[in-house]
Structures are given as structure tokens and as C-alpha cells.
């Protein structure tokens, strides 16, 4: 028998999450049977989507949702030999027994000098989200101008770099001067700190006087309302997230987008990267190729210790991370 640790949702979040909203419990797992494997977490992901998903898809007492890179430590499934690494969606658990149906092996030729934790970041769901948002939703073209907010996060930082690879002009914004400097190092054309800007409207206009062809939306709320008038005709908006609204206790209201969307003939589309699951393996190899060629760079904000999962999650929600937030067991 194996004793596993698991973080559960003690009570639904009211506003910003608190440490008391989580509970750490121990679970006794059965030994794996024929066709099953025993996983041990190596890296766990904390992501913004967990905040709204917890409200709509979880009950109090459920194990917190999330992905992890895990090592197979016992196996009765020939597809997953002992010692191999997989990406699992088993949540905030230290160990888990499963039949392998929902496991994704890390790329078999994963380079030794690339951290496995990136399978939760640029070579994982955030990287796929960036790629599909640009190619499938925005249908971005060489020479166009892209705006991405929360640009120093796990998704935003990859969005900007892929757009540069494709020959676009990239404007990004972030909430600290150190993040602004980081984005400039990544090759963003214009970057500003939205928290210290005198006027968000003027900062956006100065960065792109002729407007924006594409907008990769991670923030929502008032920021989005300011961007709409500065979209160019036939602009495309990929709605990936709305982190500025996730902890609201009172829903935000208007201004509304209809007039701008009609007269500028804009296209706004929400998306989840699972829509293109059939492309994942090919897309992961594209992302890995850009990384090994030096065209894609990634920063990670690593928290040590499974017991620090809630602290890492709350820190990510308040913007402590530059790049992908990961917990190393």
C-alpha cells in the first residue's frame, strides 16, 4: 500500500483564495493491478484556470484539479514502463494509481538539457494554448500588430515569442518593471507597466498608433474595454482568460463591445486548447524545435515542496511569477 498526500478544496473560495480554503489529507492507495501504473509526482502546475474551474466543476472536499509531470514507479501496463515520465491530470496529489488511459507520455526524444517541468509550460498546455490562440483563432499573419496582456505569464510570454517568430510586431504589458525588462529581453517590440502607466489608453496608443490587428486576451474586465476602440478593422481577438475577474465577489459590468465589433467588423472567440487535441503531438514537437533552436525561451517560477501548493497557487494569482509557476516535489 502507498500513502499519498492530496490537497482538497475545504470550502469554495469567496474572493481571493485563503490558506484556510485548502485541506491536506492522506490517502491510502491500493497497489496497481494488471493494466495499471503507480505514479509519483515530480512537478505540479498551478494555473489561473483553476480558480474559475473550482467554482463550476468542483465540490467542497474534492481534490484540487491540475496537471503534473509524474514518474511511473510501478507498472503493470507495458505502454508505461517503470521510470518513464508522463503528464497526468490527477490533480494536487503526490501519488496516484490509474490505468493510463488519460496519461500523456512526455516526448520520447525529450532533450536532457531541457527541464521536464516545461511539459507543464512552454512544451505543454500553456504553449499549446499560445500556439492555437494565434494560429487557429487569430489566424495571425506576418506584418500584423499583436497585443497580449499578462504578457510575462506562462501563456503570454510564449504568445509574444511565437508572434515574433511569425514576423509580427508585438506589444505586451505586465505589472512590474522587472517583468517589462524580461519581455524586452524576449524580443517584444513595445512593453509597458500597466500599473504605473498614467493612462492605459494613451500607453496602448503610443505603443501602436495605427491600432491592433490581433489581441490575445488574458485579463478581461476594464482592460478589454480600453482595447476595443483601438482594434483595427477586421481585427481578431482570442479570449484565453480573464484573470482580473476571477476573484470578484460582485460581477463586473460594461462598457459593452457591440458597437466596436459591428463597425470594425471584429471577430472575438473564446477557446480551450483541447479543441485541437488531435494536433497536440505535432504541435508539441514544433514548440520543442523552436526551443532547441533558441527561438523560444522560458522562465520558470519554481516553488519547492508539495506542502506549498496553496501558497504557490495564491502567489501565481497575485502575479508573483514571471513565466510558468511550478511546484517541485
Amino acid at each position: 500500500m502507498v500513502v499519498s498526500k492530496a490537497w482538497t478544496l475545504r470550502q469554495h473560495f469567496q474572493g481571493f483564495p485563503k490558506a484556510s480554503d485548502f485541506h491536506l489529507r492522506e490517502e491510502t492507495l491500493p497497489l496497481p493491478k494488471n493494466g495499471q501504473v503507480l505514479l509519483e509526482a515530480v512537478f505540479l502546475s498551478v494555473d489561473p484556470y483553476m480558480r474559475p474551474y473550482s467554482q463550476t466543476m468542483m465540490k467542497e472536499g474534492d481534490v484540487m484539479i491540475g496537471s503534473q509531470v509524474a514518474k511511473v514507479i510501478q507498472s503493470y501496463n507495458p505502454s508505461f514502463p517503470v521510470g518513464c515520465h508522463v503528464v497526468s491530470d490527477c490533480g494536487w496529489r503526490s501519488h496516484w494509481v490509474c490505468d493510463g488511459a488519460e496519461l500523456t507520455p512526455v516526448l520520447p526524444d525529450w532533450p536532457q538539457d531541457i527541464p521536464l517541468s516545461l511539459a507543464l509550460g512552454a512544451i505543454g498546455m500553456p504553449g499549446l494554448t499560445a500556439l492555437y490562440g494565434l494560429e487557429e483563432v487569430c489566424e495571425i499573419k506576418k506584418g500584423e500588430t499583436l497585443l497580449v496582456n499578462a504578457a510575462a505569464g506562462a501563456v503570454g510570454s510564449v504568445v509574444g515569442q511565437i508572434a515574433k517568430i511569425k514576423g509580427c510586431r508585438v506589444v505586451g504589458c505586465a505589472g512590474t518593471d522587472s517583468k517589462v525588462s524580461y519581455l524586452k529581453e524576449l524580443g517584444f517590440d513595445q512593453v509597458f507597466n500597466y500599473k504605473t502607466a498614467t493612462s492605459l489608453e494613451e500607453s496602448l496608443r503610443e505603443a501602436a498608433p495605427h491600432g491592433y490587428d490581433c489581441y490575445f486576451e488574458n485579463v478581461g474586465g476594464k482592460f478589454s474595454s480600453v482595447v476595443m476602440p483601438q482594434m483595427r478593422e477586421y481585427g481578431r481577438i482570442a479570449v484565453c482568460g480573464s484573470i482580473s475577474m476571477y476573484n470578484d465577489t460582485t460581477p463586473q459590468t460594461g462598457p459593452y463591445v457591440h458597437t466596436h465589433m459591428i463597425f470594425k467588423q471584429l471577430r472575438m472567440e473564446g477557446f480551450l486548447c483541447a479543441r485541437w487535441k488531435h494536433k497536440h503531438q505535432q504541435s508539441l514537437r514544433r514548440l520543442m524545435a523552436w526551443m532547441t533552436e533558441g527561438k523560444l525561451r522560458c522562465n520558470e517560477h519554481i516553488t519547492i515542496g508539495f506542502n506549498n501548493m496553496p501558497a504557490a497557487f495564491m502567489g501565481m494569482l497575485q502575479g508573483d511569477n514571471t513565466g510558468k509557476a511550478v511546484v517541485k516535489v
Side-chain angles (χ1 to χ4, degrees):
M1 309 294 274
V2 174
V3 176
S4 171
K5 292 182 178 180
W7 280 104
T8 64
L9 181 68
R10 185 197 297 271
Q11 59 191 10
H12 279 295
F13 307 126
Q14 298 296 322
F16 194 86
K18 306 180 297 297
S20 58
D21 294 330
F22 304 91
H23 173 66
L24 180 61
R25 76 182 187 204
E26 291 189 346
E27 305 173 316
T28 301
L29 302 179
L31 293 174
K33 301 175 182 178
N34 188 41
Q36 294 184 323
V37 297
L38 172 61
L39 304 177
E40 183 175 71
V42 181
F43 297 100
L44 296 102
S45 183
V46 287
D47 299 282
Y49 79 83
M50 296 172 179
R51 174 62 180 86
Y53 272 54
S54 71
Q55 210 74 27
T56 59
M57 300 181 66
M58 293 180 61
K59 304 184 301 296
E60 293 181 349
D62 286 352
V63 174
M64 283 293 297
I65 58 174
S67 300
Q68 61 174 254
V69 172
K71 184 177 182 179
V72 176
I73 60 172
Q74 194 170 354
S75 177
Y76 296 97
N77 185 326
S79 298
F80 302 99
V82 170
C84 75
H85 289 87
V86 297
V87 176
S88 167
D89 292 325
C90 65
W92 293 12
R93 304 175 190 269
S94 64
H95 297 80
W96 188 237
V97 173
C98 65
D99 62 9
E102 300 300 320
L103 300 181
T104 302
V106 299
L107 293 174
D109 50 356
W110 191 281
Q112 289 191 352
D113 60 341
I114 302 293
L116 278 173
S117 52
L118 291 185
L120 300 174
I123 318 297
M125 181 273 289
L128 293 171
T129 300
L131 183 64
Y132 297 145
L134 288 175
E135 291 189 344
E136 304 291 341
V137 181
C138 286
E139 299 178 341
I140 199 162
K141 303 175 186 66
K142 182 178 180 179
E144 291 188 320
T145 298
L146 166 78
L147 171 65
V148 55
N149 49 18
V155 175
S157 58
V158 178
V159 167
Q161 291 180 84
I162 293 177
K164 290 303 298 177
I165 290 170
K166 292 179 170 291
C168 300
R169 185 170 183 275
V170 177
V171 177
C173 65
T176 69
D177 290 341
S178 62
K179 291 181 179 181
V180 168
S181 297
Y182 170 65
L183 294 173
K184 290 179 178 177
E185 291 174 7
L186 293 182
F188 282 55
D189 295 284
Q190 294 286 332
V191 193
F192 64 90
N193 183 338
Y194 72 92
K195 289 185 178 179
T196 58
T198 304
S199 165
L200 177 59
E201 180 181 2
E202 288 304 316
S203 295
L204 289 169
R205 186 171 290 110
E206 288 176 11
H210 301 293
Y212 298 93
D213 300 288
C214 296
Y215 172 32
F216 199 105
E217 167 70 290
N218 292 310
V219 173
K222 294 179 180 179
F223 192 106
S224 188
S225 299
V226 176
V227 174
M228 286 296 172
Q230 299 193 37
M231 293 297 297
R232 301 186 69 184
E233 192 173 25
Y234 307 116
R236 289 89 66 203
I237 302 164
V239 184
C240 172
S242 56
I243 194 169
S244 72
M245 306 169 71
Y246 290 162
N247 296 303
D248 289 349
T249 53
T250 302
Q252 297 182 32
T253 59
Y256 300 101
V257 301
H258 302 71
T259 301
H260 298 298
M261 292 196 68
I262 294 168
F263 288 103
K264 291 178 180 287
Q265 302 185 71
L266 305 177
R267 177 161 56 85
M268 175 187 282
E269 182 177 348
F271 72 101
L272 300 172
C273 74
R275 189 196 311 182
W276 298 279
K277 188 175 182 178
H278 61 287
K279 290 187 175 185
H280 279 6
Q281 286 301 303
Q282 173 191 357
S283 298
L284 290 172
R285 291 188 180 280
R286 292 176 64 198
L287 291 164
M288 180 63 83
W290 284 330
M291 178 155 291
T292 56
E293 292 166 5
K295 296 178 180 178
L296 183 61
R297 292 187 288 155
C298 299
N299 192 73
E300 292 182 294
H301 184 96
I302 297 179
T303 301
I304 305 296
F306 183 80
N307 287 0
N308 291 320
M309 289 292 299
F313 175 63
M314 292 184 286
M316 176 274 305
L317 286 178
Q318 63 188 14
D320 289 353
N321 57 300
T322 298
K324 181 71 183 81
V326 176
V327 174
K328 181 179 180 179
V329 178

